[in-house]
Each structure stands twice: as structure tokens, then as C-alpha cells.
Amino acid sequence: MDFYEIKRNEKQRALLLSVDTGDFDAERSINELTLLCESAGAFVVGEIIQKRENPESSTYIGKGRLAEARLFCENKDIDLVVCDNELSPSQIRNLENILDVQVIDRTQLILDIFALRAKSKEGKVQVELAQLKYAIPRLTGKGKSMSRLAGGIGTRGPGESKLESDRRHILRRMHSLEEELKSIDKRRSLIRKRRQKNEITTVALVGYTNAGKSTLMNALTDAGVLAEDKLFATLDPTSRKLSLPSGQSVMLIDTVGFVSRLPHELVNAFKSTLQEAADADIILNVCDASDEECMVHSEITLEILKELGCNTDSIITVMNKSDLAEEVYKLLPFGKTVMISALKEINLDLLLDEIEKMLANKTIKVKMLIPFTDGSVLNHIRNNGKIINEEYTEEGSLIEAIVQSKDIESLKQYFL
């Protein structure tokens, strides 16, 4: 047995199950589920797709395919079955009893990957809360065997079941995490308000997971963010200063990647992180131009951005990996689009130019006289705009500059 076989056999061997009801592309979805399993560290041995109007209420798939799945698990030494839909507690329990292996669904798999990838305290809190929200309706007990007998007046009888105790413990933990998240959200809100007060322009990177956002972040800012060919390689948001060709500086923010049918538990838990995109001046929707599902992925991202209340007029579609793309994908109509390769640093200058063009609609060229006592105003213009000419007079600094439209009200007292 070679080294690859040894390493492969150390992973959990997984069988994928899917019910094709016609509500989504089952073939594409199970291919994505395979990538998710690989990101979680499992080795996918096989897959079973069954066409049905609705999933079987008790066992998810029908009796015939269930017997096929049981035989496959026995013959192929399967120790994990992953279903491509969210399962009810009874479906999980029935499948595990029949297949005699661990059974999880798509949501649980994504939550597991998030738990694996989260590094910051904020990310860990968000993931744990999402996992508990998912777990609490799926707690199952075993009748009296789960009960704890107690002695003394008022405590006789079966007492409190372990199930009830577990539920109370989880609810307490959820309340504690929600309070912690409120504190984190408040802190993030203050940071955003401080940026707005200081008139800092923000550009947010969004897009489907594994589209190359972290690679683009590194190429533009030398951020040193982990960039791997895995789904959800990075979760924690990163902010870096980005200098545009004109000399203007903006704040570039990386956000968590999206995936089709992203669990609501995660969308809700990561609201404070995703809010960075909603509040950004410009949004870069990074797409994998070499992926046949590029259009679908872009639409999923746009749907999530609309849910967050983002301004879709400020979106630039960034077709990454365009050097690997077929011509047919290059010709797809994506509106404001820039074709780049973040890895090979192709056309990054065109992307920066496109950002400046969009910002130009939010800027104005003015002449100003700024007293020497108001040096902080001059520093603000240098950091958030561009000074074209500057002269020193007895009254102060006489400048010609490009400033942002949102700064006009606070600066108009200095206009000539």
C-alpha cells in the first residue's frame, strides 16, 4: 500500500445521499457536497441520488435505495453518511439505526467546517451559537433510562430527565453566547461608526467560497491571509489598507464566503461580520470564471447581498481565474466586470482603475484654504482624498484637491 492509500484510509469514509425533488440541481449540489466533505477531512467513497417528489418522511430516502445504502456501507466499510438536505431528528435516528453508521446532514457538515476553520474569538462564538441552535431541536432521550432519581420530599418519582437537563444547559449557554455576540456586534458597530465619522472609504470582498477572495486580498495588500484550494479556508474577516493609483487610500475588507443553501443559523450568527459588506462603499463580487457554475454562484451571492440590504449599484463583478476560463464564460453578461487572475496578478491594475472610477462618482474637485490651526483637516484630505496642488500662505494652506462627496458638508467652510 502506497503512502497516499495510508493517508486516505486515515480519513472517515463517507457515502453521500441526495433526494432530487427538482427544487435545485441535485447533481451540482452533490458535487459541492463532495468538496465540503473533503474540506472537513472526509474521503467520499460513493454517492446515491434518488428522484422523488418529496423526501421520505421517516428515512429521507425510499426503502429500495435505503437497502442499497445499507449494503454499500457494509461492503465499503463506510463510517459516515452525509445527506444533502437538512434532516429531522427522527430521520437521523432512523437512518443511523438502519445503516449502523453516523449520519449527518448538509447543515451539520457546514457547521463542522466552520468550527474547524474559526480562529478568532468572535468566529468561535458565532459558530458555537449556530451549532447549538441547530442541535437543540435534535436532542433525543431514551425514556426512563435518561432519568435521574432524586430523594427527599418533592423530588420523588422519575425526577428530571437528562434530556431536560441538557436542554436547560444548552439554553443557558446560548443565552451567554448571544450576550457575548451583542457585545461583539456593538464593538463592530462602533468601529464602523468611527470609520464613517473619519470618512474612511471601505471596499468589501464578497463571493462564493473558494473563488479566490483571500488570494486577491494578498495580491492587493500583502495581507498574508491563508489561501487554500478548499471551501471555507478562511472565516475570520481581515481589514487592510489599500493604496489606489491616484494615491487615495481605502480600507479593503475580506468577508466569509457563501455557498448554495447556506444554513440560516450561519447567516444569522455571522450577521455582524457580513454587515461589513452591507456598509461598504464598494463591493467586489469575486467569481471563479473557470467554474461552469459561475453564473449560479454569482446569483447566489447577489441574493445574499440583497438580504443584507447591500447597495447593488456599488458592486463590481471580479471574474477571477479568467486565465483558466473557457471563452463562453468570458462572454457572460455580468455588468460592471473586470477579468483578472489574482494568483498570477493579471489585470489587477484594471481592477484598481475600476474602483477609482466608481469612487470618482463620489468625489469632487475643489479649491480650499485651510488654516494652519486645522492641520487635522489637511491630514484627513491626504488620507481620504488626493491633494493636487498645495501652497503655503499667511492665512494657511491653499490647496486644490479631490475630496469625497460625503465630506463636502464638513469641508464647505474651507471652500474658495
Side-chain angles (χ1 to χ4, degrees):
M1 183 181 290
D2 61 21
F3 176 76
Y4 172 77
E5 289 287 328
I6 294 171
K7 293 294 290 183
R8 190 182 74 179
N9 289 339
E10 289 177 359
K11 299 180 178 180
Q12 283 184 286
R13 295 169 61 81
L15 169 66
L16 310 185
L17 301 182
S18 175
V19 173
D20 183 2
T21 60
D23 293 336
F24 55 88
D25 187 333
E27 197 70 44
R28 181 185 64 80
S29 185
I30 208 163
N31 288 339
E32 186 174 82
L33 191 66
T34 299
L35 295 176
L36 287 168
C37 286
E38 290 172 356
S39 290
F43 173 67
V44 176
V45 180
E47 59 187 49
I48 295 175
I49 301 178
Q50 181 179 34
K51 283 195 174 185
R52 292 176 60 99
E53 288 187 9
N54 294 294
E56 171 62 41
S57 59
S58 60
T59 56
Y60 180 60
I61 58 174
K63 289 182 180 179
R65 286 304 178 99
L66 190 59
E68 181 186 335
R70 178 178 173 82
L71 192 62
F72 191 95
C73 290
E74 291 174 352
N75 293 338
K76 299 294 184 180
D77 196 25
I78 299 298
D79 45 29
L80 176 68
V81 169
V82 186
C83 299
D84 199 24
N85 299 74
E86 191 164 305
L87 303 180
S88 68
S90 61
Q91 285 174 327
I92 292 175
R93 184 170 62 251
N94 292 336
L95 282 171
E96 288 186 336
N97 289 337
I98 295 169
L99 301 177
D100 196 28
V101 295
Q102 181 188 5
V103 176
I104 64 173
D105 59 22
R106 182 186 181 90
T107 299
Q108 193 173 352
L109 176 63
I110 293 174
L111 289 171
D112 184 78
I113 295 170
F114 271 56
L116 186 67
R117 299 280 189 266
K119 302 299 180 186
S120 69
K121 182 181 179 183
E122 177 185 1
K124 290 176 180 178
V125 169
Q126 289 170 324
V127 173
E128 185 182 352
L129 180 60
Q131 286 179 314
L132 292 178
K133 283 183 176 180
Y134 172 83
I136 196 162
R138 290 168 172 77
L139 288 177
T140 55
K142 296 184 179 179
K144 292 182 179 179
S145 66
M146 296 283 284
S147 299
R148 296 181 303 187
L149 295 174
I153 298 171
T155 61
R156 294 179 183 135
E160 180 185 50
S161 71
K162 186 175 186 304
L163 177 62
E164 290 166 348
S165 173
D166 289 344
R167 182 171 279 114
R168 280 196 307 106
H169 174 74
I170 288 176
L171 287 172
R172 280 199 305 268
R173 180 59 180 162
M174 283 172 60
H175 178 72
S176 173
L177 291 171
E178 283 169 349
E179 290 300 311
E180 199 167 344
L181 266 186
K182 284 180 184 177
S183 175
I184 291 170
D185 194 28
K186 186 177 180 181
R187 188 161 64 247
R188 277 195 169 277
S189 180
L190 288 173
I191 292 172
R192 285 195 294 269
K193 286 179 180 177
R194 194 179 306 132
R195 285 177 186 160
Q196 292 168 356
K197 183 179 178 182
N198 295 332
E199 307 295 349
I200 296 174
T201 302
T202 55
V203 177
L205 290 168
V206 303
Y208 215 75
T209 182
N210 208 32
K213 296 187 302 300
S214 296
T215 304
L216 180 57
M217 182 84 168
N218 290 336
L220 293 175
T221 66
D222 296 323
V225 178
L226 175 67
E228 287 187 283
D229 187 20
K230 289 182 179 179
L231 302 189
F232 303 116
T234 52
L235 290 183
D236 302 312
T238 306
S239 301
R240 291 290 187 274
K241 181 179 178 181
L242 171 63
S243 296
L244 299 176
S246 65
Q248 181 180 351
S249 296
V250 298
M251 184 71 72
L252 186 64
I253 303 170
D254 193 9
T255 60
V256 65
F258 302 139
V259 71
S260 61
R261 292 180 289 136
L262 188 67
H264 287 294
E265 291 90 345
L266 283 173
V267 174
N268 292 331
F270 279 82
K271 272 280 174 68
S272 63
T273 304
L274 295 173
Q275 194 63 36
E276 296 284 5
D279 294 338
D281 296 282
I282 293 177
I283 297 171
L284 302 183
N285 178 14
V286 184
C287 305
D288 182 351
S290 66
D291 194 321
E292 293 182 9
E293 302 296 331
C294 183
M295 176 71 86
V296 177
H297 293 174
S298 180
E299 288 173 355
I300 290 168
T301 301
L302 290 175
E303 285 174 13
I304 296 174
L305 291 176
K306 286 176 182 176
E307 284 180 25
L308 294 169
C310 297
N311 179 13
T312 53
D313 293 332
S314 297
I315 295 177
I316 299 173
T317 301
V318 181
M319 299 292 280
N320 190 29
K321 309 180 189 180
S322 59
D323 55 313
L324 305 176
E326 299 287 341
E327 285 298 319
V328 62
Y329 304 125
K330 289 187 178 183
L331 297 174
L332 289 173
F334 281 90
K336 295 178 181 177
T337 305
V338 183
M339 310 295 294
I340 71 158
S341 169
L343 185 62
K344 296 183 179 179
E345 300 190 0
I346 298 172
N347 290 343
L348 296 186
D349 54 336
L350 297 182
L351 174 58
L352 295 177
D353 288 342
E354 196 62 41
I355 293 173
E356 288 208 313
K357 285 178 186 177
M358 189 167 281
L359 288 176
N361 296 328
K362 303 176 182 181
T363 60
I364 186 173
K365 188 176 180 180
V366 295
K367 287 186 177 180
M368 307 169 67
L369 179 63
I370 302 174
F372 294 122
T373 53
D374 292 346
S376 60
V377 175
L378 201 59
N379 287 333
H380 173 78
I381 295 170
R382 283 197 179 97
N383 291 330
N384 298 278
K386 180 181 180 183
I387 295 177
I388 301 170
N389 290 311
E390 182 175 3
E391 297 178 22
Y392 298 108
T393 67
E394 292 182 2
E395 292 82 10
S397 298
L398 182 63
I399 67 169
E400 185 178 5
I402 295 174
V403 299
Q404 296 182 40
S405 299
K406 59 186 179 182
D407 285 344
I408 290 175
E409 191 62 31
S410 61
L411 296 175
K412 65 181 182 181
Q413 59 180 307
Y414 303 110
F415 289 179
L416 293 177

